[in-house]
Amino acid sequence: MVIRLISDSMRKKRINILGIETSCDETAAAVVADGRVIKSSVIASQAKLHEKYGGVVPEIASRAHIENIYQVITESMEQASVSKDDIDAIAVANQPGLTIALVVGVTAAKTLGFAWEKPLIAINHLHAHLQSAMLAKEKPKLPAAALIASGGHTCLYDYRSPLEPKLLGCTIDDAAGEAFDKVATILKLPYPGGPSIEKTAEKGNPDSIKFPRSMLGPDSLDFSFSGIKTAVLYYCHGQDMKGEDKVNSMSEQEIADIAASFQAAVIDVLVKKTQRAVARTGAETVLLGGGVAANNQLRAALQKLCNSYKPAKKLMVAPKQYCTDNAVMVASLGYHKFKAGLYTDLTLEAKATG
Ligand code: KG4
Ligand code: ZN
């Protein structure tokens, strides 16, 4: 049955993949044709629900996914003007992420795959973030050094094909986005922290405070951002943490200077590690994706790095609306796995790591 369905759909002009994403705090579904024609993208953000906690609460995220998933998938099909008969396969992010959040998308995808008799495709959420940097029209020269900086992960890859990015290094503690979120909480800036730090930093001096840049040795491609977060905490509360919370009495300028100096330190590390990855892989191109990729200063700093090579390297960045979690990237990568015949079955499980 599956073989007949696949050969039927291969003959059609366009391959339509329904993508489903629930790995963290966005419930998302999208229909993408041939891996790059975005027919719909629906995202139900839970930012408001998690705001007062300064981070994502897994149980609240899972419950909200359950409440939203049906509506989000229905809307994505309606916006794309497709019925189940037009869908060739269902791709779902099943790892890594919050297991009780992922399981909602995985269960929805398995149910639809079974009911509609469509192939099911398992997607690694981080590989999908990489794919979002490939949505541009032009094809990149490969290999590429690929940086994913998000709320849950910070990783570098040797990227030679969408199907098998090779992990070169990742964070050993906090992810870059997590550091932005935690520092925003320290500075009493609104959640999510990334956009509010970026905005506040616009008025600050990035050279005013020398926060530490953790490089983890001369050859490491791993990251560590917990030290800089603690440095900001000590700066605001004193080394012994017994001092007053100075943030309450700080001027707007002082807060802007901390935000700008923190942002500059994080970007410095991300850029230098990417430079190492370029040297390690002989990359022709640099790919950038993940929520932190929405940061204009990071985009500019990586562009500067790429321009510094002779000849210059090409920088490919995910379009802004596809930097943070979305299902377009899931459906787009699903297309490549569909073409390669990489299907999964109904035993698919959600996994925290991957
Ligand atoms: O990729 P994403 O939506 O979720 C995960 O897979 O984790 O990334 C969310 C993260 C949050 O930590 C958020 O603060 C950060 O991306 N972020 C930013 C910016 N926009 C979002 N960080 C820095 N600058 C931004 N403009
Ligand atoms: Zn993500």
Side-chain angles (χ1 to χ4, degrees):
M1 172 62 98
V2 170
I3 290 167
R4 187 184 61 74
L5 283 168
I6 292 160
S7 59
D8 282 354
S9 55
M10 286 293 192
R11 275 197 292 277
K12 279 197 322 197
K13 259 174 80 188
R14 289 225 145 132
I15 306 290
N16 288 321
I17 308 287
L18 169 65
I20 299 175
E21 157 64 46
T22 62
S23 68
C24 191
D25 62 341
E26 329 276 1
T27 317
V31 177
V32 177
D34 292 349
R36 57 176 61 242
V37 182
I38 300 164
K39 292 190 156 181
S40 67
S41 173
V42 178
I43 303 174
S45 170
Q46 305 172 6
K48 280 265 162 281
L49 293 177
H50 302 286
E51 194 172 20
K52 65 176 169 207
Y53 305 100
V56 177
V57 182
E59 290 76 10
I60 294 175
S62 180
R63 184 181 292 252
H65 286 313
I66 293 167
E67 284 165 4
N68 292 332
I69 190 83
Y70 176 78
Q71 185 62 25
V72 165
I73 293 174
T74 307
E75 259 182 63
S76 75
M77 301 277 290
E78 281 171 8
Q79 268 185 26
S81 302
V82 294
S83 74
K84 68 180 173 54
D85 298 332
D86 304 309
I87 297 294
D88 295 282
I90 299 162
V92 61
N94 77 309
Q95 65 180 120
L98 304 169
T99 320
I100 61 170
L102 285 162
V103 78
V104 179
V106 169
T107 306
K110 288 203 280 196
T111 308
L112 291 179
F114 180 71
W116 295 351
E117 298 183 352
K118 306 286 177 185
L120 192 62
I121 297 169
I123 297 291
N124 179 302
H125 174 83
L126 298 177
H127 298 178
H129 270 305
L130 287 179
Q131 186 61 25
S132 62
M134 303 284 284
L135 289 170
K137 282 209 175 70
E138 61 224 282
K139 280 202 166 171
K141 281 192 194 157
L142 297 176
L147 172 66
I148 292 304
S150 74
H153 301 86
T154 304
C155 306
L156 275 164
Y157 293 87
D158 179 344
Y159 184 99
R160 285 159 203 269
S161 104
L163 300 179
E164 284 176 69
K166 186 172 153 252
L167 187 66
L168 297 170
C170 62
T171 183
I172 58 167
D173 43 50
D174 291 358
E178 194 179 348
F180 269 93
D181 293 335
K182 287 178 176 166
V183 166
T185 304
I186 297 169
L187 297 180
K188 301 184 173 33
L189 297 172
Y191 175 84
S196 41
I197 296 250
E198 179 172 17
K199 190 155 190 311
T200 307
E202 279 169 15
K203 298 195 189 92
N205 173 4
D207 301 317
S208 55
I209 307 152
K210 194 82 190 144
F211 286 125
R213 275 103 166 123
S214 172
M215 296 304 287
L216 301 172
D219 301 319
S220 172
L221 292 175
D222 288 330
F223 298 91
S224 167
F225 292 110
S226 73
I228 181 164
K229 174 199 67 190
T230 310
V232 175
L233 191 66
Y234 286 168
Y235 188 87
C236 296
H237 290 253
Q239 282 288 346
D240 55 6
M241 291 294 291
K242 285 185 185 143
E244 51 161 340
D245 181 350
K246 292 185 211 150
V247 176
N248 292 327
S249 53
M250 276 180 193
S251 67
E252 260 184 45
Q253 187 58 52
E254 282 171 292
I255 293 185
D257 286 345
I258 299 172
S261 302
F262 159 78
Q263 179 175 263
V266 172
I267 291 175
D268 215 12
V269 173
L270 292 172
V271 170
K272 288 201 170 105
K273 296 273 172 162
T274 305
Q275 189 175 17
R276 285 181 186 177
V278 168
R280 184 84 56 91
T281 56
E284 304 254 14
T285 302
V286 172
L287 300 181
L288 172 64
V292 184
N295 187 289
N296 288 319
Q297 300 301 319
L298 174 61
R299 293 161 98 99
L302 278 175
Q303 188 61 65
K304 198 169 159 203
L305 171 73
C306 288
N307 293 347
S308 71
Y309 292 97
K310 301 264 175 306
K313 310 278 180 205
K314 173 96 186 143
L315 176 67
M316 291 185 63
V317 190
K320 278 219 174 164
Q321 70 268 41
Y322 304 123
C323 285
T324 44
D325 289 347
N326 65 87
V328 167
M329 63 188 193
V330 173
S332 177
L333 182 54
Y335 168 75
H336 294 278
K337 293 191 87 168
F338 179 84
K339 279 205 315 183
L342 296 171
Y343 314 122
T344 184
D345 60 29
L346 294 175
T347 62
L348 181 69
E349 284 183 357
K351 282 193 213 146
T353 56

